[in-house]
Amino acid sequence: MNAIYSILLSLLLTGVATAGSVSLAVRAASENKTADKKKAEVTRAYWLNIRVTNLSGTKLDGATLKWTLFAANLRRGADSIVVEKSGDISITVDANGRYADLTTPKVSFVHTPMHSERKGRSSITVEETGHRYHGFHVQVVNGDAVLGDFWSNEGLRKQQLK
């Protein structure tokens, strides 16, 4: 019974998408990279742990996994989502439910949240700046065919497909 609960819990915590002949399970991971805790600037590295499962009866050879990490541009008045980093990884996955586990490179997101700073006897408000992590997109393609597609959230997908 515990095995069933652990499987259900892992499915809730990990995004899974199936499209075409490939199933994608994607989990974003991160770590704090801020060197000086006294500074307002925050640096956090993000990367993706991806499992590509080949559901077809033929070996997936020469396919490409395309990944993109998005950031919220915090510059006052910008209010936009930008591509922070993207890349391609060539993949080969055997047939009939075999899988390949992949990890993208770590990408640093640097931003300064809104805060106050003392200037003599008064304080001033410093606006937020930089890029803060917003989400990801992962896609498996073979030539022009999209075999698998996964977005971290529906709002990001709708915005990027405009």
Side-chain angles (χ1 to χ4, degrees), residues 89-139:
I89 302 171
S90 295
I91 60 171
T92 300
V93 184
D94 289 333
N96 300 322
R98 298 292 199 280
Y99 60 87
D101 288 330
L102 308 161
T103 301
T104 63
K106 292 181 180 181
V107 178
S108 291
F109 290 77
V110 181
H111 74 281
T112 303
M114 184 184 295
H115 64 283
S116 295
E117 289 182 359
R118 298 293 264 160
K119 295 288 183 185
R121 301 185 106 195
S122 62
S123 65
I124 60 168
T125 300
V126 178
E127 295 294 328
E128 61 185 354
T129 59
H131 290 175
R132 183 177 53 219
Y133 172 80
H134 187 74
F136 62 84
H137 177 227
V138 175
Q139 188 176 56

Side-chain angles (χ1 to χ4, degrees), residues 3-23:
I4 293 171
Y5 289 127
S6 65
I7 290 170
L8 288 174
L9 182 62
S10 68
L11 287 175
L12 288 173
L13 296 177
T14 304
V16 178
T18 303
S21 60
V22 169
S23 171

Side-chain angles (χ1 to χ4, degrees), residues 23-127:
S23 171
L24 294 171
V26 184
R27 186 174 50 91
S30 70
E31 67 183 1
N32 187 9
K33 298 293 245 178
T34 304
D36 187 356
K37 303 289 184 199
K38 293 180 182 178
K39 287 190 174 183
E41 186 177 84
V42 176
T43 303
R44 189 155 195 88
Y46 285 84
W47 65 95
L48 301 175
N49 294 311
I50 306 164
R51 175 167 283 181
V52 180
T53 305
N54 184 0
L55 303 173
S56 74
T58 59
K59 182 177 182 177
L60 181 63
D61 198 15
T64 303
L65 180 122
K66 297 181 176 193
W67 59 272
T68 305
L69 291 173
F70 294 96
N73 184 356
L74 301 177
R75 191 181 80 237
R76 186 174 178 89
D79 194 32
S80 62
I81 304 300
V82 297
V83 172
E84 188 71 18
K85 182 89 173 180
S86 63
D88 297 341
I89 302 171
S90 295
I91 60 171
T92 300
V93 184
D94 289 333
N96 300 322
R98 298 292 199 280
Y99 60 87
D101 288 330
L102 308 161
T103 301
T104 63
K106 292 181 180 181
V107 178
S108 291
F109 290 77
V110 181
H111 74 281
T112 303
M114 184 184 295
H115 64 283
S116 295
E117 289 182 359
R118 298 293 264 160
K119 295 288 183 185
R121 301 185 106 195
S122 62
S123 65
I124 60 168
T125 300
V126 178
E127 295 294 328

